[in-house]
Amino acid sequence: MWKEFKEFALRGSVVDLAVGIIIGAAFGAIVNSFVSDIVMPPVGLALGRVDFSNLFINLSGQTYPSLKAAREAGAAVIAYGAFLNAVVNFLIVAFAVFQVVRITNRFRREAPVAAPAAKECPQCGMSIPLVAKRCPHCTSQLSS
């Protein structure tokens, strides 16, 4: 059983998947910081000094000055500002993955299809060379 597990774990695709997950997590952290620290502050400023990370709907009926205070008090809240940040994160990551796939597909050109070297005799159905004028199997005359 250990040998089978070792073969499975050391396969190229499993190792590639592990590397992809690790790089994806690091990339996700970078994108999260980019959205929270660079993209959303100017957007919030343009919309009237709105801090998206602190936008929430309080469902408990009490008043809280911030999302952090509401969560510390255990109040039920809908943190739609955090959700908006997550949506922007997703869009940036999805666009980046799209670009990577697009570039990768550019490098994977399909091999040109070779021209057929033979044709089928219309009388007997046997495969014959393209340049043949008469079928070697049934001796029928072929049109060019």
Side-chain angles (χ1 to χ4, degrees), residues 3-140:
K3 183 180 175 186
E4 288 176 311
F5 176 74
K6 193 168 125 181
E7 281 180 28
F8 169 76
L10 296 179
R11 268 191 209 148
S13 58
V14 174
V15 173
D16 291 344
L17 179 63
V19 169
I21 289 172
I22 292 167
I23 290 174
F27 183 69
I30 290 170
V31 170
N32 189 28
S33 175
F34 176 71
V35 169
S36 299
D37 302 330
I38 295 174
V39 173
M40 295 311 268
V43 171
L45 184 64
L47 295 176
R49 298 185 178 266
V50 176
D51 178 13
F52 282 92
S53 63
N54 203 30
L55 295 177
F56 68 99
I57 297 172
N58 184 4
L59 301 176
S60 69
Q62 297 179 352
T63 304
Y64 298 99
S66 67
L67 176 61
K68 183 178 177 185
R71 285 188 173 161
E72 285 175 355
V77 295
I78 297 175
Y80 67 91
F83 177 74
L84 290 173
N85 281 348
V87 168
V88 173
N89 281 350
F90 170 77
L91 293 174
I92 291 173
V93 170
F95 183 73
V97 169
F98 168 73
Q99 292 298 331
V100 168
V101 169
R102 194 170 143 229
I103 290 169
T104 303
N105 287 341
R106 240 185 235 159
F107 290 116
R108 279 194 219 166
R109 300 278 181 203
E110 288 187 30
V113 178
K119 62 183 176 183
E120 189 175 287
C121 174
Q123 299 299 320
C124 67
M126 298 296 290
S127 179
I128 56 175
L130 283 176
V131 295
K133 303 285 185 212
R134 186 177 291 274
C135 178
H137 304 287
C138 68
T139 67
S140 62

